Coordinates of all heavy atoms in Angstrom, one line a residue:
H70 N 2.2 -3.8 -6.2 CA 1.1 -4.2 -5.3 C 0.3 -5.3 -5.9 O 0.0 -6.3 -5.2 CB 0.3 -3.1 -4.9 CG -0.7 -3.4 -3.8 ND1 -1.9 -3.9 -4.1 CD2 -0.6 -3.3 -2.5 CE1 -2.6 -4.1 -3.0 NE2 -1.8 -3.8 -2.0
A71 N -0.1 -5.2 -7.2 CA -0.9 -6.2 -7.8 C -0.2 -7.6 -7.8 O -0.8 -8.6 -7.6 CB -1.2 -5.8 -9.2
G72 N 1.1 -7.6 -8.1 CA 1.9 -8.8 -8.2 C 1.9 -9.5 -6.8 O 1.8 -10.7 -6.7
A73 N 2.2 -8.7 -5.8 CA 2.2 -9.2 -4.4 C 0.9 -9.8 -4.0 O 0.8 -10.9 -3.4 CB 2.7 -8.2 -3.4
F74 N -0.2 -9.1 -4.4 CA -1.5 -9.6 -4.0 C -1.9 -10.8 -4.7 O -2.4 -11.8 -4.2 CB -2.5 -8.5 -4.1 CG -3.9 -8.9 -3.7 CD1 -4.2 -8.9 -2.3 CD2 -4.9 -9.2 -4.6 CE1 -5.4 -9.3 -1.9 CE2 -6.1 -9.6 -4.2 CZ -6.4 -9.7 -2.8
T75 N -1.7 -10.8 -6.1 CA -2.2 -12.0 -6.9 C -1.3 -13.2 -6.8 O -1.8 -14.3 -6.7 CB -2.4 -11.6 -8.3 OG1 -1.2 -11.1 -8.8 CG2 -3.5 -10.5 -8.5
R76 N 0.0 -13.0 -6.8 CA 0.9 -14.1 -6.8 C 1.3 -14.6 -5.5 O 1.4 -15.8 -5.2 CB 2.2 -13.7 -7.6 CG 1.9 -13.6 -9.1 CD 3.2 -13.4 -9.9 NE 2.9 -12.2 -10.7 CZ 3.8 -11.3 -11.0 NH1 5.0 -11.4 -10.6 NH2 3.5 -10.3 -11.8
A77 N 1.6 -13.7 -4.6 CA 2.1 -14.1 -3.2 C 1.1 -14.0 -2.2 O 1.3 -14.4 -1.0 CB 3.3 -13.2 -2.8
K78 N -0.1 -13.5 -2.5 CA -1.3 -13.4 -1.5 C -0.9 -12.6 -0.3 O -1.1 -13.0 0.8 CB -1.7 -14.8 -1.1 CG -2.1 -15.7 -2.2 CD -3.3 -15.3 -2.9 CE -3.7 -16.3 -3.9 NZ -3.9 -15.9 -5.3
I79 N -0.3 -11.4 -0.6 CA 0.1 -10.5 0.5 C -0.5 -9.1 0.3 O -0.5 -8.6 -0.8 CB 1.7 -10.4 0.5 CG1 2.3 -11.7 0.9 CG2 2.1 -9.3 1.5 CD1 3.8 -11.7 0.8
L80 N -1.0 -8.5 1.4 CA -1.4 -7.1 1.4 C -0.3 -6.3 2.1 O 0.3 -6.7 3.1 CB -2.7 -7.0 2.3 CG -4.0 -7.2 1.6 CD1 -5.1 -7.1 2.6 CD2 -4.2 -6.3 0.4
H81 N 0.0 -5.1 1.5 CA 1.0 -4.3 2.1 C 0.6 -3.7 3.4 O 1.4 -3.7 4.4 CB 1.3 -3.2 1.1 CG 2.5 -2.3 1.4 ND1 2.4 -1.3 2.3 CD2 3.8 -2.4 1.1 CE1 3.6 -0.7 2.5 NE2 4.5 -1.4 1.7
R82 N -0.6 -3.1 3.5 CA -1.2 -2.5 4.7 C -0.6 -1.3 5.2 O -1.0 -0.8 6.3 CB -1.3 -3.6 5.8 CG -2.0 -4.8 5.4 CD -2.1 -5.9 6.5 NE -1.3 -5.8 7.6 CZ -1.7 -5.9 8.9 NH1 -2.9 -6.1 9.2 NH2 -0.8 -5.8 9.9
D83 N 0.4 -0.7 4.5 CA 0.9 0.6 5.0 C 1.4 1.4 3.8 O 2.5 1.9 3.7 CB 2.1 0.4 5.9 CG 2.7 1.7 6.5 OD1 1.9 2.7 6.6 OD2 3.8 1.7 6.9
I84 N 0.5 1.6 2.8 CA 0.8 2.4 1.6 C 0.8 3.9 2.0 O -0.2 4.3 2.5 CB -0.2 2.0 0.5 CG1 0.1 0.6 0.0 CG2 0.0 3.0 -0.7 CD1 -0.9 0.1 -1.0
S85 N 1.9 4.5 1.7 CA 2.0 6.0 2.0 C 2.9 6.6 1.0 O 3.6 5.9 0.3 CB 2.5 6.2 3.5 OG 3.8 5.7 3.6
A86 N 3.0 7.9 1.0 CA 3.9 8.6 0.1 C 5.3 8.2 0.4 O 6.1 8.2 -0.6 CB 3.7 10.1 0.3
G87 N 5.7 8.0 1.6 CA 7.1 7.6 1.9 C 7.4 6.2 1.5 O 8.6 5.8 1.5
N88 N 6.5 5.3 1.2 CA 6.7 3.9 0.9 C 6.6 3.6 -0.6 O 6.6 2.5 -1.0 CB 5.7 3.0 1.6 CG 6.0 3.0 3.1 OD1 7.1 3.3 3.6 ND2 5.1 2.6 3.9
I89 N 6.5 4.7 -1.4 CA 6.5 4.5 -2.9 C 7.7 5.2 -3.5 O 7.9 6.4 -3.2 CB 5.2 5.1 -3.5 CG1 4.0 4.3 -2.9 CG2 5.2 5.0 -5.0 CD1 2.6 4.9 -3.3
L90 N 8.5 4.4 -4.2 CA 9.7 5.0 -4.8 C 9.4 5.0 -6.3 O 8.8 4.1 -6.9 CB 10.9 4.1 -4.5 CG 11.2 3.8 -3.1 CD1 12.3 2.8 -3.0 CD2 11.6 5.1 -2.4
I91 N 9.9 6.1 -7.0 CA 9.8 6.2 -8.4 C 11.2 6.0 -9.0 O 12.1 6.7 -8.7 CB 9.2 7.5 -8.9 CG1 7.8 7.8 -8.3 CG2 9.1 7.6 -10.4 CD1 6.8 6.8 -8.6
V92 N 11.4 4.9 -9.8 CA 12.7 4.6 -10.3 C 12.6 5.0 -11.8 O 11.8 4.6 -12.6 CB 12.9 3.1 -10.2 CG1 14.3 2.7 -10.8 CG2 12.8 2.7 -8.7
R93 N 13.6 5.8 -12.2 CA 13.7 6.2 -13.6 C 15.0 5.6 -14.2 O 16.1 5.7 -13.6 CB 13.7 7.7 -13.7 CG 12.4 8.3 -13.3 CD 12.4 9.8 -13.6 NE 11.1 10.3 -13.3 CZ 10.8 11.0 -12.2 NH1 11.8 11.3 -11.3 NH2 9.6 11.5 -12.0
K94 N 14.9 5.2 -15.5 CA 16.1 4.7 -16.1 C 16.0 4.9 -17.6 O 14.9 5.0 -18.2 CB 16.3 3.2 -15.8 CG 15.3 2.3 -16.4 CD 15.7 0.8 -16.2 CE 14.7 -0.1 -16.9 NZ 15.0 -1.5 -16.7
T95 N 17.2 5.1 -18.2 CA 17.2 5.3 -19.7 C 17.0 4.0 -20.3 O 17.7 3.0 -20.0 CB 18.6 5.9 -20.1 OG1 18.8 7.1 -19.3 CG2 18.6 6.3 -21.6
I96 N 16.1 3.9 -21.3 CA 15.8 2.6 -21.9 C 16.4 2.4 -23.3 O 16.4 1.3 -23.8 CB 14.3 2.4 -22.0 CG1 13.6 3.6 -22.8 CG2 13.7 2.3 -20.6 CD1 12.2 3.3 -23.1
D97 N 17.0 3.4 -23.9 CA 17.6 3.2 -25.2 C 18.6 4.3 -25.5 O 18.8 5.3 -24.7 CB 16.6 3.0 -26.4 CG 15.7 4.2 -26.5 OD1 16.0 5.3 -26.0 OD2 14.6 4.1 -27.1
D98 N 19.2 4.3 -26.7 CA 20.2 5.3 -27.1 C 19.7 6.7 -27.3 O 20.4 7.6 -27.4 CB 21.0 4.8 -28.3 CG 21.8 3.5 -28.1 OD1 22.1 3.3 -26.9 OD2 22.1 2.8 -29.0
T99 N 18.4 6.8 -27.5 CA 17.8 8.1 -27.8 C 17.6 8.9 -26.5 O 17.3 10.1 -26.6 CB 16.4 7.9 -28.5 OG1 15.5 7.3 -27.5 CG2 16.5 7.2 -29.8
G100 N 17.8 8.3 -25.4 CA 17.7 9.1 -24.1 C 16.4 9.0 -23.5 O 16.1 9.7 -22.5
R101 N 15.5 8.2 -24.1 CA 14.1 8.1 -23.5 C 14.2 7.5 -22.1 O 15.1 6.6 -21.9 CB 13.2 7.2 -24.4 CG 12.8 7.8 -25.7 CD 11.8 7.0 -26.4 NE 11.7 5.7 -25.9 CZ 11.1 4.7 -26.5 NH1 10.5 4.9 -27.7 NH2 11.0 3.5 -26.0
V102 N 13.4 8.0 -21.2 CA 13.5 7.6 -19.8 C 12.1 6.9 -19.5 O 11.1 7.4 -19.8 CB 13.7 8.8 -18.9 CG1 13.6 8.4 -17.5 CG2 15.0 9.4 -19.2
A103 N 12.2 5.8 -18.9 CA 11.1 5.0 -18.4 C 11.0 5.1 -16.9 O 12.0 5.1 -16.2 CB 11.1 3.6 -18.8
S104 N 9.8 5.3 -16.3 CA 9.6 5.4 -14.9 C 8.8 4.2 -14.4 O 7.9 3.7 -15.1 CB 8.9 6.7 -14.5 OG 9.6 7.8 -14.9
R105 N 9.1 3.8 -13.2 CA 8.4 2.6 -12.7 C 8.3 2.8 -11.2 O 9.2 3.3 -10.5 CB 9.2 1.4 -12.9 CG 8.5 0.1 -12.4 CD 9.3 -1.1 -12.8 NE 8.5 -2.2 -12.3 CZ 9.0 -3.4 -12.3 NH1 10.2 -3.7 -12.7 NH2 8.3 -4.4 -11.8
G106 N 7.1 2.5 -10.6 CA 6.9 2.6 -9.2 C 7.4 1.4 -8.5 O 7.3 0.3 -9.0
L107 N 7.9 1.6 -7.3 CA 8.4 0.5 -6.5 C 7.8 0.7 -5.1 O 8.0 1.7 -4.5 CB 9.9 0.5 -6.5 CG 10.6 -0.6 -5.6 CD1 10.3 -2.0 -6.2 CD2 12.1 -0.4 -5.6
L108 N 7.1 -0.3 -4.5 CA 6.5 -0.2 -3.2 C 7.5 -0.9 -2.2 O 7.9 -2.0 -2.4 CB 5.2 -1.0 -3.2 CG 4.3 -0.8 -2.0 CD1 4.0 0.7 -1.8 CD2 3.0 -1.5 -2.3
N109 N 7.9 -0.1 -1.2 CA 8.9 -0.7 -0.3 C 8.3 -0.7 1.2 O 7.1 -0.3 1.3 CB 10.2 0.1 -0.3 CG 10.1 1.5 0.3 OD1 9.0 2.0 0.4 ND2 11.2 2.2 0.5
D110 N 9.1 -1.1 2.1 CA 8.7 -1.1 3.5 C 7.5 -2.1 3.8 O 6.4 -1.7 4.1 CB 8.4 0.3 4.1 CG 8.3 0.3 5.6 OD1 8.6 -0.7 6.2 OD2 7.8 1.3 6.1
W111 N 7.8 -3.4 3.6 CA 6.8 -4.4 3.7 C 6.7 -4.9 5.2 O 6.2 -6.0 5.4 CB 7.1 -5.5 2.8 CG 6.9 -5.1 1.3 CD1 7.7 -4.4 0.5 CD2 5.7 -5.3 0.6 NE1 7.2 -4.2 -0.7 CE2 5.9 -4.8 -0.7 CE3 4.5 -6.0 0.8 CZ2 5.0 -4.8 -1.7 CZ3 3.6 -6.0 -0.2 CH2 3.8 -5.4 -1.5
D112 N 7.2 -4.2 6.2 CA 7.2 -4.7 7.6 C 5.8 -5.0 8.1 O 5.7 -5.9 8.9 CB 7.9 -3.7 8.5 CG 9.3 -3.5 8.2 OD1 9.9 -4.3 7.4 OD2 9.9 -2.5 8.6
L113 N 4.8 -4.2 7.7 CA 3.4 -4.4 8.2 C 2.6 -5.3 7.3 O 1.4 -5.4 7.5 CB 2.8 -3.1 8.4 CG 3.5 -2.1 9.4 CD1 2.8 -0.8 9.5 CD2 3.5 -2.8 10.8
S114 N 3.2 -5.9 6.3 CA 2.4 -6.7 5.3 C 1.8 -7.9 6.0 O 2.3 -8.3 7.1 CB 3.2 -7.1 4.1 OG 4.3 -7.9 4.5
K115 N 0.8 -8.5 5.4 CA 0.2 -9.7 6.0 C -0.3 -10.6 4.9 O -0.8 -10.1 3.9 CB -1.0 -9.2 6.9 CG -1.6 -10.4 7.7 CD -2.6 -9.8 8.7 CE -3.2 -10.9 9.5 NZ -4.2 -10.4 10.4
S116 N -0.2 -11.9 5.1 CA -0.7 -12.9 4.2 C -2.3 -12.8 4.1 O -2.9 -12.5 5.1 CB -0.3 -14.3 4.6 OG -1.0 -15.2 3.8
T117 N -2.8 -13.0 2.9 CA -4.3 -13.0 2.8 C -4.8 -14.4 2.7 O -6.0 -14.6 2.3 CB -4.7 -12.2 1.5 OG1 -4.1 -12.9 0.4 CG2 -4.2 -10.8 1.6
V118 N -4.1 -15.4 3.1 CA -4.5 -16.8 3.1 C -5.8 -16.9 4.0 O -5.8 -16.2 5.0 CB -3.4 -17.7 3.6 CG1 -3.9 -19.1 3.7 CG2 -2.2 -17.7 2.7
E119 N -6.7 -17.6 3.6 CA -8.0 -17.7 4.3 C -7.8 -18.1 5.8 O -6.9 -18.9 6.1 CB -8.9 -18.8 3.7 CG -10.3 -18.6 4.0 CD -11.3 -19.2 3.0 OE1 -10.9 -19.2 1.8 OE2 -12.3 -19.7 3.4
G120 N -8.5 -17.4 6.6 CA -8.4 -17.6 8.1 C -7.4 -16.7 8.7 O -7.1 -16.8 9.9
N121 N -6.8 -15.8 7.9 CA -5.7 -14.9 8.4 C -6.2 -13.5 8.3 O -5.5 -12.6 7.9 CB -4.4 -15.1 7.6 CG -3.2 -14.5 8.3 OD1 -3.2 -14.3 9.5 ND2 -2.2 -14.2 7.5
D122 N -7.5 -13.3 8.7 CA -8.0 -11.9 8.5 C -8.2 -11.1 9.8 O -8.7 -10.0 9.8 CB -9.4 -12.0 7.8 CG -10.4 -12.8 8.6 OD1 -10.0 -13.5 9.6 OD2 -11.6 -12.9 8.2
Q123 N -7.7 -11.7 10.9 CA -7.8 -10.9 12.2 C -6.6 -10.0 12.4 O -5.5 -10.3 12.0 CB -7.9 -11.9 13.4 CG -9.1 -12.8 13.4 CD -10.4 -12.0 13.4 OE1 -10.5 -11.0 14.1 NE2 -11.3 -12.3 12.5
P124 N -6.8 -8.8 13.0 CA -5.7 -7.9 13.2 C -4.7 -8.6 14.1 O -5.0 -9.3 15.0 CB -6.4 -6.7 13.9 CG -7.8 -6.8 13.7 CD -8.1 -8.3 13.4
R125 N -3.4 -8.3 13.8 CA -2.3 -8.8 14.7 C -2.3 -8.1 16.0 O -1.9 -8.6 17.0 CB -1.0 -8.6 14.0 CG -0.7 -9.4 12.8 CD 0.7 -9.1 12.3 NE 0.8 -9.7 11.0 CZ 1.9 -9.5 10.2 NH1 2.8 -8.7 10.6 NH2 2.0 -10.1 9.1
R126 N -2.7 -6.8 16.0 CA -2.6 -6.0 17.2 C -4.0 -5.3 17.4 O -4.7 -5.1 16.4 CB -1.6 -4.9 17.0 CG -0.2 -5.4 16.7 CD 0.7 -4.2 16.4 NE 2.0 -4.7 16.0 CZ 2.8 -4.0 15.2 NH1 2.4 -2.8 14.8 NH2 3.9 -4.5 14.9
P127 N -4.3 -5.0 18.6 CA -5.6 -4.3 18.8 C -5.6 -2.9 18.2 O -6.7 -2.5 17.8 CB -5.8 -4.3 20.4 CG -4.4 -4.5 20.9 CD -3.6 -5.3 19.9
E128 N -4.5 -2.3 18.2 CA -4.5 -0.9 17.5 C -4.2 -1.1 16.0 O -3.7 -2.1 15.6 CB -3.4 0.0 18.1 CG -1.9 -0.4 17.8 CD -1.3 -1.5 18.7 OE1 -2.0 -2.0 19.6 OE2 -0.2 -1.8 18.5
R129 N -4.6 -0.1 15.3 CA -4.6 -0.1 13.8 C -3.1 0.1 13.4 O -2.5 1.0 13.9 CB -5.5 0.9 13.2 CG -5.5 1.0 11.7 CD -5.9 -0.2 11.0 NE -7.2 -0.7 11.3 CZ -7.6 -2.0 11.1 NH1 -6.8 -2.8 10.4 NH2 -8.8 -2.4 11.4
T130 N -2.6 -0.6 12.4 CA -1.3 -0.4 11.8 C -1.4 0.4 10.5 O -2.5 0.4 9.9 CB -0.6 -1.7 11.5 OG1 -1.4 -2.4 10.6 CG2 -0.3 -2.5 12.8
G131 N -0.4 1.1 10.2 CA -0.4 1.9 8.9 C -0.2 3.3 9.2 O -0.2 3.8 10.3
T132 N -0.2 4.1 8.1 CA 0.0 5.6 8.2 C -1.4 6.2 8.1 O -2.1 6.1 7.1 CB 0.9 6.1 7.0 OG1 2.1 5.3 7.0 CG2 1.1 7.5 7.1
W133 N -1.8 6.8 9.3 CA -3.1 7.3 9.4 C -3.5 8.3 8.3 O -4.6 8.4 7.8 CB -3.3 8.0 10.8 CG -3.4 7.0 11.8 CD1 -2.4 6.5 12.6 CD2 -4.7 6.5 12.3 NE1 -3.0 5.6 13.5 CE2 -4.3 5.6 13.3 CE3 -6.0 6.6 12.0 CZ2 -5.3 4.8 14.0 CZ3 -7.0 5.9 12.7 CH2 -6.6 5.0 13.7
Q134 N -2.5 9.1 7.8 CA -2.8 10.1 6.8 C -3.3 9.5 5.5 O -4.1 10.2 4.8 CB -1.5 10.9 6.6 CG -1.5 12.0 5.6 CD -0.1 12.6 5.4 OE1 0.8 12.2 6.1 NE2 -0.1 13.6 4.6
F135 N -2.9 8.3 5.2 CA -3.3 7.7 3.9 C -4.2 6.5 4.1 O -4.5 5.7 3.2 CB -2.0 7.2 3.2 CG -1.1 8.4 2.9 CD1 0.0 8.6 3.6 CD2 -1.4 9.3 1.9 CE1 0.9 9.6 3.4 CE2 -0.6 10.4 1.7 CZ 0.5 10.6 2.4
M136 N -4.7 6.2 5.3 CA -5.5 5.1 5.6 C -6.9 5.2 5.0 O -7.4 6.3 4.9 CB -5.7 4.9 7.1 CG -6.3 3.6 7.6 SD -6.3 3.5 9.4 CE -4.6 3.3 9.7
S137 N -7.5 4.1 4.7 CA -8.9 4.2 4.1 C -9.9 4.7 5.1 O -9.7 4.5 6.3 CB -9.3 2.8 3.6 OG -9.6 1.9 4.7
G138 N -10.9 5.3 4.7 CA -12.0 5.8 5.6 C -12.6 4.7 6.4 O -13.0 4.8 7.5
R139 N -12.8 3.5 5.7 CA -13.4 2.4 6.4 C -12.6 1.9 7.6 O -13.2 1.6 8.7 CB -13.6 1.2 5.4 CG -14.4 0.0 6.0 CD -14.4 -1.1 4.9 NE -13.1 -1.8 4.8 CZ -12.8 -2.8 5.6 NH1 -13.6 -3.3 6.5 NH2 -11.6 -3.4 5.4
L140 N -11.3 1.8 7.5 CA -10.5 1.4 8.6 C -10.3 2.5 9.6 O -10.3 2.2 10.8 CB -9.1 1.0 8.1 CG -9.0 -0.2 7.2 CD1 -7.5 -0.4 6.7 CD2 -9.5 -1.5 7.9
A141 N -10.2 3.7 9.2 CA -10.1 4.8 10.2 C -11.3 5.0 11.1 O -11.2 5.3 12.2 CB -9.7 6.1 9.5
S142 N -12.5 4.7 10.5 CA -13.7 4.8 11.2 C -14.1 3.6 12.1 O -14.9 3.7 13.0 CB -14.9 5.2 10.3 OG -15.1 4.1 9.5
N143 N -13.5 2.5 11.8 CA -13.8 1.3 12.6 C -12.6 0.4 12.7 O -12.2 -0.3 11.8 CB -14.9 0.5 11.9 CG -15.4 -0.7 12.7 OD1 -14.8 -1.1 13.7 ND2 -16.6 -1.1 12.4
L144 N -11.9 0.6 13.9 CA -10.6 -0.1 14.1 C -10.7 -1.6 14.2 O -9.6 -2.2 14.1 CB -10.0 0.5 15.4 CG -9.7 2.0 15.4 CD1 -9.1 2.4 16.7 CD2 -8.9 2.4 14.2
S145 N -11.9 -2.2 14.3 CA -11.9 -3.6 14.4 C -12.1 -4.3 13.1 O -12.0 -5.5 13.0 CB -13.1 -4.0 15.3 OG -14.3 -3.6 14.7
K146 N -12.2 -3.6 12.0 CA -12.4 -4.2 10.7 C -11.0 -4.7 10.2 O -10.0 -4.2 10.5 CB -12.8 -3.1 9.7 CG -14.2 -2.6 9.9 CD -15.2 -3.4 9.3 CE -16.6 -2.8 9.5 NZ -17.7 -3.6 9.0
P147 N -11.1 -5.9 9.5 CA -9.8 -6.4 8.9 C -9.4 -5.6 7.7 O -10.2 -5.0 7.0 CB -10.2 -7.8 8.5 CG -11.7 -7.8 8.3 CD -12.2 -6.8 9.3
H148 N -8.1 -5.5 7.5 CA -7.5 -4.8 6.4 C -7.7 -5.6 5.1 O -7.3 -6.8 5.0 CB -6.0 -4.5 6.6 CG -5.5 -3.5 5.8 ND1 -5.0 -2.3 6.3 CD2 -5.3 -3.4 4.4 CE1 -4.6 -1.5 5.3 NE2 -4.7 -2.2 4.2
L149 N -8.4 -5.0 4.1 CA -8.7 -5.7 2.8 C -8.1 -5.0 1.6 O -7.6 -3.9 1.8 CB -10.2 -5.8 2.6 CG -11.0 -6.5 3.8 CD1 -12.5 -6.4 3.5 CD2 -10.6 -8.0 3.9
L150 N -8.1 -5.7 0.5 CA -7.6 -5.1 -0.8 C -8.1 -3.7 -1.0 O -7.4 -2.8 -1.4 CB -7.8 -6.0 -1.9 CG -7.3 -5.5 -3.3 CD1 -5.8 -5.2 -3.3 CD2 -7.7 -6.5 -4.4
P151 N -9.5 -3.5 -1.0 CA -10.0 -2.1 -1.2 C -9.3 -1.0 -0.3 O -9.2 0.1 -0.7 CB -11.5 -2.2 -1.0 CG -11.8 -3.7 -1.2 CD -10.5 -4.4 -0.7
D152 N -8.9 -1.4 0.9 CA -8.3 -0.4 1.8 C -6.9 0.0 1.3 O -6.6 1.2 1.3 CB -8.2 -1.0 3.2 CG -9.5 -1.4 3.8 OD1 -10.4 -0.5 3.7 OD2 -9.7 -2.5 4.3
D153 N -6.2 -1.0 0.7 CA -4.9 -0.6 0.1 C -5.1 0.2 -1.1 O -4.3 1.2 -1.3 CB -4.1 -1.9 -0.2 CG -3.2 -2.4 0.9 OD1 -3.2 -1.8 2.0 OD2 -2.4 -3.3 0.6
L154 N -6.0 -0.1 -1.9 CA -6.3 0.6 -3.1 C -6.7 2.1 -2.8 O -6.3 3.0 -3.5 CB -7.3 -0.1 -4.0 CG -6.9 -1.5 -4.5 CD1 -8.0 -2.1 -5.3 CD2 -5.6 -1.4 -5.3
E155 N -7.5 2.2 -1.8 CA -7.9 3.6 -1.4 C -6.7 4.4 -0.9 O -6.6 5.6 -1.1 CB -9.0 3.5 -0.3 CG -9.5 4.9 0.1 CD -10.6 4.9 1.1 OE1 -11.4 3.9 1.2 OE2 -10.7 5.9 1.9
S156 N -5.8 3.7 -0.2 CA -4.6 4.3 0.2 C -3.8 4.9 -0.9 O -3.2 5.9 -0.9 CB -3.7 3.4 1.1 OG -4.4 3.1 2.3
V157 N -3.7 4.1 -2.0 CA -3.0 4.5 -3.2 C -3.7 5.8 -3.7 O -3.0 6.8 -4.1 CB -3.0 3.4 -4.3 CG1 -2.5 4.0 -5.6 CG2 -2.2 2.2 -3.8
L158 N -5.0 5.8 -3.8 CA -5.7 7.0 -4.2 C -5.3 8.2 -3.4 O -5.1 9.3 -3.9 CB -7.2 6.8 -4.2 CG -8.1 8.0 -4.6 CD1 -7.8 8.4 -6.1 CD2 -9.5 7.7 -4.4
H159 N -5.3 8.0 -2.0 CA -4.9 9.1 -1.1 C -3.5 9.7 -1.4 O -3.3 10.9 -1.4 CB -5.1 8.7 0.3 CG -6.5 8.4 0.8 ND1 -7.5 9.3 0.6 CD2 -7.0 7.4 1.4 CE1 -8.6 8.8 1.1 NE2 -8.3 7.6 1.6
V160 N -2.6 8.7 -1.7 CA -1.2 9.2 -2.0 C -1.2 10.0 -3.3 O -0.5 11.0 -3.4 CB -0.3 7.9 -2.1 CG1 1.1 8.3 -2.7 CG2 -0.1 7.3 -0.8
V161 N -1.9 9.5 -4.3 CA -2.0 10.2 -5.6 C -2.5 11.6 -5.4 O -2.0 12.6 -5.9 CB -2.8 9.4 -6.7 CG1 -3.0 10.3 -7.9 CG2 -2.0 8.2 -7.0
I162 N -3.6 11.8 -4.7 CA -4.2 13.1 -4.5 C -3.3 14.0 -3.7 O -3.1 15.1 -4.0 CB -5.6 12.9 -3.7 CG1 -6.6 12.3 -4.7 CG2 -6.1 14.3 -3.2 CD1 -7.9 11.9 -4.0
Y163 N -2.7 13.4 -2.6 CA -1.7 14.1 -1.8 C -0.5 14.7 -2.6 O -0.2 15.9 -2.6 CB -1.2 13.2 -0.7 CG 0.0 13.8 0.1 CD1 -0.3 14.7 1.1 CD2 1.3 13.5 -0.2 CE1 0.8 15.2 1.9 CE2 2.3 14.0 0.5 CZ 2.1 14.9 1.6 OH 3.1 15.4 2.3
E164 N 0.0 13.8 -3.5 CA 1.2 14.2 -4.3 C 0.8 15.2 -5.4 O 1.5 16.1 -5.7 CB 1.9 13.0 -4.9 CG 2.6 12.1 -3.9 CD 3.7 12.9 -3.2 OE1 4.3 13.8 -3.7 OE2 4.1 12.4 -2.1
A165 N -0.4 15.1 -5.9 CA -0.9 16.0 -7.0 C -1.1 17.4 -6.4 O -0.7 18.4 -7.0 CB -2.2 15.5 -7.6
I166 N -1.6 17.5 -5.2 CA -1.9 18.8 -4.6 C -0.6 19.4 -4.1 O -0.3 20.6 -4.3 CB -2.9 18.7 -3.4 CG1 -4.3 18.3 -4.0 CG2 -2.9 19.9 -2.6 CD1 -5.3 18.0 -2.9
R167 N 0.3 18.6 -3.6 CA 1.6 19.0 -3.1 C 2.4 19.6 -4.2 O 3.1 20.5 -4.2 CB 2.3 17.9 -2.4 CG 3.4 18.3 -1.6 CD 4.0 17.1 -0.8 NE 5.4 17.3 -1.0 CZ 6.3 16.3 -1.2 NH1 5.9 15.1 -1.2 NH2 7.6 16.6 -1.3

């Protein structure tokens, strides 16, 4: 997510437990395993280029279960980086409890 936001200027806008993949691979002969997260399903993503902050649709996009409180309480607000980061926090809490 950080790479997409800083390099490509894109917000995902639909971070949920179903859109995060954990990829594990063996990294050496000792059998050590490295894990890496992969964010998929970029269908609802949007460029953050200036002047592109209006919602595409009048209804809110994204997975309600993991949506930031700011967006869920006010549907007219534009989706910002803190909203995606709060969604990541909701996913971590959800998976930890589950």
Side-chain angles (χ1 to χ4, degrees):
H70 186 273
F74 183 77
T75 57
R76 290 185 231 145
K78 308 288 188 234
I79 294 174
L80 274 176
H81 188 276
R82 301 179 347 131
D83 187 22
I84 295 176
S85 67
N88 290 342
I89 298 174
L90 305 173
I91 304 299
V92 180
R93 293 187 175 104
K94 67 177 184 175
T95 305
I96 57 173
D97 58 21
D98 294 337
T99 64
R101 290 187 345 191
V102 176
S104 298
R105 181 174 182 192
L107 179 66
L108 194 54
N109 70 345
D110 192 10
W111 291 82
D112 295 346
L113 298 177
S114 66
K115 188 173 181 182
S116 170
T117 61
V118 175
E119 202 156 323
N121 194 22
D122 59 351
Q123 296 303 313
R125 289 183 191 169
R126 303 174 186 154
E128 71 274 2
R129 178 61 57 198
T130 59
T132 305
W133 284 89
Q134 182 178 1
F135 302 104
M136 190 176 291
S137 74
R139 186 183 74 88
L140 291 178
S142 66
N143 190 339
L144 300 179
S145 65
K146 296 274 185 185
H148 197 113
L149 303 173
L150 176 62
D152 300 311
D153 269 6
L154 297 178
E155 184 178 332
S156 294
V157 171
L158 177 64
H159 291 308
V160 170
V161 169
I162 292 170
Y163 171 82
E164 291 297 336
I166 291 171
R167 194 174 137 221

